[in-house]
Amino acid sequence: MATSAPSLDLRDEILDLKKRRNAVILAHNYQIKEIQEVADYVGDSLGLSYQARETDAEVIAFCGVHFMAETAKIVNPGKTVVLPDKDAGCSLEQSCPAPQLEAFLRDHADRNYYVISYINSSAGVKALSDVICTSGNAVRIVQKAPADRNLLFVPDENLGNWVEQQTGRPMDMWRGACYVHVEFTRESIARIKALHPEAKVVAHPECTLAVRLLADEVCSTEKMVTYCRANPAPAFIVVTESGMLHRLRRECPDKTFIAGPTDHCACADCRYMKMNTLAKLRDCLDHLSPAIEMEENLRRRAEAPILRMLEWSR
Ligand code: 13P
Ligand code: SF4
């Protein structure tokens, strides 16, 4: 995990550049602690989308993965959106290339699909979608989808299955998965539960059904904060990416948070989220690069289903 000790100079340089650039720093809950601590806002994909749309800053420095920065540009095209590392991708996004989705929809035109895409997808996929969702609002979005249409859920099969169970609404699923969350197994979680019988288990819906069945709560990263704060339990096993532990320890200092282990290691890192470092954040603010650029026609088509999501989740 790329967590070099933060140099005070680097932190000061970032804060100085932020002021000079009139920038806002948005960070996902999975970012390293040094980035979370320098950010103006730390949250989940849904909260970050609202922040990106509503900010008055001229520059958005987006510390997350590429599709998140791209979403910020789609909803706020007048801003310069930079990201520390342009190669910070996402296995879910990669599992559903836009040309494949386009071909699938063409081949299944008789199904007249209403396409619900998880925000972890490219602008090209969003442009082919009717509405976008995040893990924080997926149940609500599916409940609002037209009752007389066949639903196609893209690209996370595990999240889609969880939403199907919550809503009772059948959906056809794209067969994508998050490579981090499928690393947790029933055995690895059962083992850690046995060691900490007093702890509640909170799991992200990108986990498999076998893991979700062992959880006391299945929810988005932001809802994990709300749940752990309100729940009287003294300890929580956190079954998601490792950056979440820092956010939870900051928000609930009186509680104990235990990393949900995989079969291979004690906690799970997303290699894409962990590509971002303080030095790369400083550089992107300094050079205003790498920046998200997008063809306007694509941006407009991708924006419509995101705006529908933001409207439906209020
Ligand atoms: P959240 O929207 O719950 O923060 O999840 C984003 C993500 O990438 C999970 O792997
Ligand atoms: Fe994508 Fe999984 Fe990383 Fe989230 S944790 S950004 S879904 S690869």
Side-chain angles (χ1 to χ4, degrees):
M1 197 168 106
T3 49
S4 53
S7 111
L8 257 186
D9 292 349
L10 197 47
R11 198 189 141 89
D12 288 347
E13 262 185 83
I14 290 169
L15 294 175
D16 179 52
L17 277 163
K18 190 176 79 119
K19 206 181 282 170
R20 285 199 281 127
R21 293 294 190 195
N22 185 16
V24 66
I25 300 175
L26 305 182
H28 188 265
N29 287 321
Y30 295 164
Q31 291 297 285
I32 56 170
K33 92 175 180 353
E34 294 79 1
I35 288 184
Q36 291 195 28
E37 280 163 12
V38 87
D40 295 291
Y41 177 86
V42 184
D44 69 353
S45 312
L46 183 60
L48 288 163
S49 304
Y50 279 117
Q51 293 289 325
R53 180 151 173 81
E54 288 160 12
T55 183
D56 291 331
E58 284 170 66
V59 173
I60 300 173
F62 209 115
C63 302
V65 291
H66 187 273
F67 77 80
M68 295 178 174
E70 193 175 62
T71 304
K73 183 71 179 179
I74 293 168
V75 297
N76 215 333
K79 309 288 179 194
T80 299
V81 179
V82 292
L83 67 170
D85 192 318
K86 68 173 175 27
D87 295 325
C90 168
S91 68
L92 274 169
E93 177 183 354
Q94 289 152 15
S95 71
C96 184
Q100 266 185 37
L101 176 61
E102 197 166 19
F104 180 89
L105 292 173
R106 207 172 34 240
D107 294 348
H108 298 82
D110 55 317
R111 297 281 290 152
N112 187 26
Y113 278 123
Y114 191 85
V115 182
I116 303 176
S117 293
Y118 191 26
I119 199 163
N120 297 39
S121 55
S122 65
V125 165
K126 289 185 174 85
L128 294 167
S129 307
D130 292 289
V131 67
I132 305 304
C133 70
T134 71
S135 58
N137 63 15
V139 168
R140 191 180 170 103
I141 298 293
V142 169
Q143 281 167 340
K144 286 188 178 247
D148 57 345
R149 296 282 297 276
N150 294 311
L151 304 186
L152 176 67
F153 192 87
V154 173
D156 188 1
E157 192 180 6
N158 289 307
L159 174 67
N161 285 333
W162 176 71
V163 173
E164 203 174 44
Q165 282 177 339
Q166 303 295 303
T167 60
R169 185 89 199 261
M171 300 194 287
D172 290 343
M173 307 289 173
W174 195 265
R175 306 236 175 259
C178 163
Y179 91 98
V180 177
H181 286 87
V182 296
E183 280 287 310
F184 299 108
T185 62
R186 186 172 173 75
E187 292 69 33
S188 68
I189 303 307
R191 269 197 312 272
I192 191 110
K193 252 173 89 96
L195 290 175
H196 302 277
E198 77 293 0
K200 297 277 181 203
V201 176
V202 285
H204 197 275
E206 288 173 14
C207 295
T208 62
L209 174 63
V211 167
R212 295 197 309 267
L213 285 173
L214 292 178
D216 295 287
E217 180 70 4
V218 177
C219 59
S220 74
T221 58
E222 198 57 34
K223 287 188 186 162
M224 286 182 185
V225 176
T226 328
Y227 175 81
C228 295
R229 199 184 279 132
N231 194 289
F236 299 86
I237 297 165
V238 182
V239 189
T240 192
E241 209 272 349
S242 63
M244 194 62 216
L245 292 164
H246 176 66
R247 174 81 201 280
L248 286 165
R249 286 173 182 147
R250 240 180 123 180
E251 299 276 349
C252 312
D254 52 332
K255 302 198 177 189
T256 302
F257 295 98
I258 303 150
T262 70
D263 284 337
H264 313 293
C265 55
C267 70
D269 286 343
C270 170
R271 64 171 170 268
Y272 304 111
M273 287 281 181
K274 277 8 189 204
M275 283 177 161
N276 296 332
T277 61
L278 277 185
K280 289 184 196 172
L281 172 57
R282 185 260 329 267
D283 290 349
C284 80
L285 280 167
D286 193 9
H287 308 310
L288 292 185
S289 167
I292 302 281
E293 303 293 348
M294 202 178 307
E295 199 252 308
E296 179 58 10
N297 181 40
L298 173 64
R299 190 201 66 78
R300 275 181 200 278
R301 288 187 296 122
E303 184 183 32
I306 300 175
L307 295 185
R308 187 163 296 128
M309 168 188 84
L310 295 177
E311 191 189 312
W312 285 5
S313 350
R314 280 280 186 210

